[in-house]
RNA sequence: GGCGGCAUAGCCAAGUGGUAAGGCGAGCGCCUGCAAAGCGCUUAUUCCCCGGUUCGAAUCCGGGUGCCGCCUCCA
């Protein structure tokens, strides 16, 4: 079954065929590490990571590069404000990114290339672009000449001649055309700088991605990701300079993810406005955040709010409950269930893959998981047995393809106070003292403990 | 102004020609001492509006309205 992916460049969904059979190359424009990671970084990382997981599930080898832009104006600005080296700022934020990615079960990329580690590769590209007439040096800067190739603007649908007033040339910039962009920026006093044939300076924003993608993944990569806000100018410029160098298509599929919408509130970390991942992670179970992000197609915008996340928490628990009932995390693998239950499992499996094959439609795939969850619950209600447990295992496996269900239920250890109350309630129920039983249940609720009476007796749950 | 996207039930959200997934919420029922969880049923004759193509459109085309993103750094 072929996987189909929507491509921004051709504005169409096409069957995915990797450049090299059996091997998929993915490049994602990651963070410019000028600050702590925000929700948008998690979304684009997750979108790409789910593709990566699914390709691997489908038996492909995946080479996945996620880059860090570790030197730019704002990083320097911040470092100066703090009186430290630029690298101090970037290292700290890279660490934070990796930590929160781990927390949300986002698997590590194959490689995390950094701009400052590829200065040589960038120089080689820039030199080649100058030699072939696509770039020019001016006053210590080097600019890409957007008019040097007729197809500039093909990704974002822009035409060079449509540029309007308002593109002001910064003082000191010697661009021939306002849309020309810096490949190399001459160093201003006090800035970190690397020597180059055009004088000391640092890389422009776009060239790094071309250089790093080509170095680590080849001249034509299969899938290029990142947020939709990067389509112009970043990705547009990557295409221009890369294809001017190699003469080959830079990426076969442009799979940019939709942006995170924070509602009316402007991005500020004050009251209730989730902007940084740490703000979310401190209030929302990372598994729920991951589930929530997956419940909307990766290309659609998504709203982030505490309310939405809390709703997602309820919905996600619906998926986890049958797993917890069946002990899916520790149950040994067995033979597939038969009968109607077996059919329900096979159907969910088929539809799940169908949805994922269609441009990684995790929202639709999740819908089929809910259907399977109901079938599992029903089987469990009807007495369970090996078949019910194996159907729960199937649900667990399918969710696992999306990287869900990674936390096994905690082996709860309760404070003595709670255990005493619980024991008292068991006795009260034995005595059919319903009034006292309910009182104790309320008392436990005050302590944040839920009591559920089932056929196996009384169960305690947190929250 | 230019480019692009989106408008589906109270809310969230799938669905690119064949007669509206799924979740939350709400209601009824089963189960339960009562709850919770779970199960069953109900909750869009209809997909922003107006035309058109078609045997047939939420899905295609034209027009309109509304919202959003990008055009400056941004995942």
């Amino acid at each position: 079954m072929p996987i189909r992916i929507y491509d921004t460049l051709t504005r169409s969904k096409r069957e995915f065929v990797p450049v090299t059979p059996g091997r998929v190359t993915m490049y994602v424009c990651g963070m410019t590490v000028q600050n702590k990671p925000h929700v948008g970084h998690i979304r684009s990382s997750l979108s790409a990571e789910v593709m990566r997981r699914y390709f691997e599930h489908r038996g492909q080898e995946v080479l996945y590069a996620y880059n860090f832009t570790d030197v730019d104006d704002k990083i320097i600005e911040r470092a100066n404000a703090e009186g430290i080296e630029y690298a101090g700022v970037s290292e700290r934020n890279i660490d934070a990114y990796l930590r929160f990615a781990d927390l949300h079960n986002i698997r590590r990329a194959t490689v995390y290339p950094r701009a400052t580690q590829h200065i040589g590769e960038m120089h080689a590209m820039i030199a080649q672009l100058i030699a072939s007439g696509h770039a020019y040096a001016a006053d210590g800067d080097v600019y890409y000449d957007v008019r040097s190739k007729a197809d500039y603007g093909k990704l974002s649908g822009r035409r060079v001649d449509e540029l309007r007033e308002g593109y002001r040339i910064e003082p000191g910039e010697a661009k021939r055309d306002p849309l020309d962009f810096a490949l190399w920026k001459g160093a201003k006093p006090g800035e970190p700088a690397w020597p180059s044939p055009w004088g000391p300076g640092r890389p422009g924003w776009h060239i790094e991605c071309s250089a790093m993608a080509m170095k680590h993944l080849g001249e034509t990569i299969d899938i290029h990701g990142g947020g939709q806000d990067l389509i112009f100018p970043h990705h547009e410029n990557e295409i221009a300079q890369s294809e001017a160098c190699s003469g080959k298509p830079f990426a076969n599929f442009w799979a940019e993810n939709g942006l995170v919408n924070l509602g009316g509130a402007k991005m500020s970390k004050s009251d209730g406005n989730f902007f940084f991942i740490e703000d979310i992670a401190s209030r929302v179970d990372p598994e729920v955040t991951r589930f929530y992000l997956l419940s909307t197609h990766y290309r659609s915008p998504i709203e982030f709010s505490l309310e939405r996340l809390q709703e997602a928490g309820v919905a996600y628990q619906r998926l986890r409950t049958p797993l917890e009932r069946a002990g899916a995390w520790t149950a040994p693998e067995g033979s597939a269930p038969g009968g109607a239950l077996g059919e329900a499992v096979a159907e969910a499996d088929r539809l799940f893959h169908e949805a994922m094959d269609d441009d990684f439609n995790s929202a639709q795939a999740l819908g089929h998981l809910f259907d399977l969850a109901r079938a599992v619950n029903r089987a469990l209600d009807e007495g369970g047995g090996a078949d019910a447990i194996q159907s729960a295992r199937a649900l667990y496996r399918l969710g696992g393809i999306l990287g869900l269900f990674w936390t096994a239920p905690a082996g709860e250890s309760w404070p003595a106070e709670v255990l005493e109350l619980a024991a008292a309630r068991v006795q009260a129920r034995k005595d059919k003292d319903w009034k006292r039983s309910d009182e104790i249940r309320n008392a436990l609720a005050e302590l944040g403990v839920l009591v559920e009476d089932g056929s196996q007796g009384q169960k305690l749950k947190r929250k």
Side-chain angles (χ1 to χ4, degrees):
Chain A
M1 258 187 286
I3 292 176
R4 295 168 57 79
I5 303 176
Y6 183 88
D7 169 36
T8 308
L9 181 60
T10 54
R11 306 200 192 292
S12 63
K13 209 186 277 183
R14 306 197 315 276
E15 182 174 328
F16 175 77
V17 180
V19 174
T20 306
R23 207 191 69 165
V24 179
T25 54
M26 298 176 57
Y27 185 90
V28 170
C29 292
M31 276 184 83
T32 299
V33 285
Q34 56 200 206
N35 207 335
K36 294 178 282 190
H38 58 65
V39 294
H41 295 124
I42 268 287
R43 163 107 117 150
S44 63
S45 300
L46 180 63
S47 302
E49 194 244 11
V50 167
M51 290 181 198
R52 187 257 188 101
R53 279 181 188 263
Y54 194 66
F55 277 128
E56 291 187 346
H57 169 69
R58 284 301 207 183
Q60 303 281 310
E61 180 196 349
V62 179
L63 281 177
Y64 169 35
Y66 180 98
N67 86 284
F68 291 118
T69 299
D70 58 350
V71 63
D72 89 319
D73 291 345
K74 287 182 182 164
I75 295 172
I76 294 169
E77 207 174 284
R78 193 167 195 103
N80 288 342
E82 295 181 22
I84 59 177
E85 291 280 296
Y86 81 92
V89 173
S90 46
E91 290 298 334
R92 176 217 301 159
N93 291 320
I94 288 171
D95 286 350
Y97 169 82
L98 260 13
R99 193 165 66 246
F100 285 111
D102 289 348
L103 192 62
H104 291 82
N105 203 28
I106 291 169
R107 288 177 50 205
R108 295 288 177 108
T110 314
V111 57
Y112 289 99
R114 302 184 190 187
T116 59
Q117 295 170 345
H118 296 77
I119 302 288
E121 287 84 353
M122 292 187 239
H123 285 171
M125 271 191 82
I126 294 169
Q128 193 186 333
L129 286 167
I130 292 175
S132 57
H134 291 290
Y136 54 93
D139 300 340
D141 297 332
V142 180
Y143 295 100
Y144 180 87
D145 177 1
V146 297
R147 292 183 182 275
S148 70
K149 268 176 94 246
D151 64 355
Y152 183 81
K154 65 182 177 182
L155 181 71
S156 58
R158 268 158 244 262
R159 327 198 101 264
V160 178
D161 291 322
E162 276 172 2
L163 86 164
R164 302 176 54 250
E165 296 304 314
Y167 281 99
R168 271 204 302 276
I169 299 181
E170 295 296 319
E173 288 191 340
K175 294 180 181 181
R176 288 180 193 163
D177 186 290
L179 281 182
D180 287 354
F181 55 91
L183 298 170
W184 186 255
K185 300 171 114 162
K188 299 185 187 108
E191 287 184 348
W194 287 259
S196 87
W198 313 281
R202 58 195 163 88
W205 175 34
H206 315 292
I207 190 69
E208 59 181 87
C209 285
S210 295
M212 296 191 288
M214 288 198 192
K215 174 181 179 184
H216 295 281
L217 304 176
E219 287 180 325
T220 298
I221 55 184
D222 290 311
I223 297 174
H224 192 124
Q228 283 173 354
D229 53 345
L230 297 181
I231 292 175
F232 188 87
H234 185 56
H235 289 173
E236 192 70 71
N237 292 347
E238 280 185 57
I239 290 180
Q241 69 206 175
S242 300
E243 299 188 351
C245 266
S246 70
K248 297 174 186 166
F250 180 47
N252 282 145
F253 289 85
W254 290 86
E256 287 102 348
N257 60 273
L259 304 182
V260 173
N261 187 337
L262 296 174
K266 250 329 190 193
M267 47 172 91
S268 97
K269 57 176 175 173
S270 53
D271 49 37
N273 188 339
F274 302 104
F275 185 62
F276 294 116
I277 299 168
E278 65 181 21
D279 294 328
I280 297 167
S282 66
R283 303 190 222 191
V284 180
D285 179 347
E287 252 190 58
V288 169
T289 302
R290 185 172 175 110
F291 166 80
Y292 177 63
L293 255 4
L294 256 21
S295 68
T296 296
H297 185 92
Y298 75 93
R299 281 187 182 273
S300 302
I302 191 169
E303 176 76 24
F304 246 77
S305 69
L306 188 54
E307 195 188 358
R308 286 284 93 76
L309 259 351
Q310 281 167 341
E311 280 172 15
V314 176
Y316 185 57
Q317 188 54 44
R318 190 170 173 71
L319 247 26
R320 281 193 60 115
T321 294
L323 263 28
E324 289 169 2
R325 292 177 73 191
W329 283 268
T330 50
E333 205 64 42
S335 49
L341 182 58
E343 279 172 36
V345 169
E347 182 74 350
D349 186 276
R350 203 193 96 236
L351 293 171
F352 175 91
H353 285 90
E354 228 171 79
M356 289 302 289
D357 284 347
D358 185 10
D359 200 21
F360 309 102
N361 194 336
S362 57
Q364 190 172 53
L366 247 19
H368 298 125
L369 256 34
F370 279 101
D371 289 333
L372 179 54
R374 187 176 304 110
V376 175
N377 277 322
R378 205 181 294 132
L380 255 11
D381 284 350
E382 286 165 2
D387 276 3
I389 290 173
Q390 287 312 312
S391 66
R393 289 281 305 172
L395 174 58
Y396 176 73
R397 275 196 310 271
L398 289 174
I401 294 169
L402 300 176
L404 294 172
F405 309 139
W406 73 89
T407 346
E412 304 280 21
S413 60
W414 305 100
E417 183 189 10
V418 169
L419 292 176
E420 278 167 30
L421 282 169
R425 184 167 181 277
V426 170
Q427 186 56 48
R429 296 193 74 230
K430 212 173 273 177
D431 299 340
K432 298 199 186 299
D433 184 350
W434 308 127
K435 184 163 177 285
R436 172 140 180 75
S437 161
D438 290 349
E439 280 167 7
I440 298 174
R441 181 163 61 198
N442 290 337
L444 284 167
E446 299 273 310
L447 296 171
V449 181
L450 278 180
V451 185
E452 291 182 4
D453 299 314
S455 55
Q456 315 294 321
Q458 168 181 290
K459 266 189 174 166
L460 302 180
K461 292 179 84 173
R462 206 167 287 284
K463 219 166 87 170

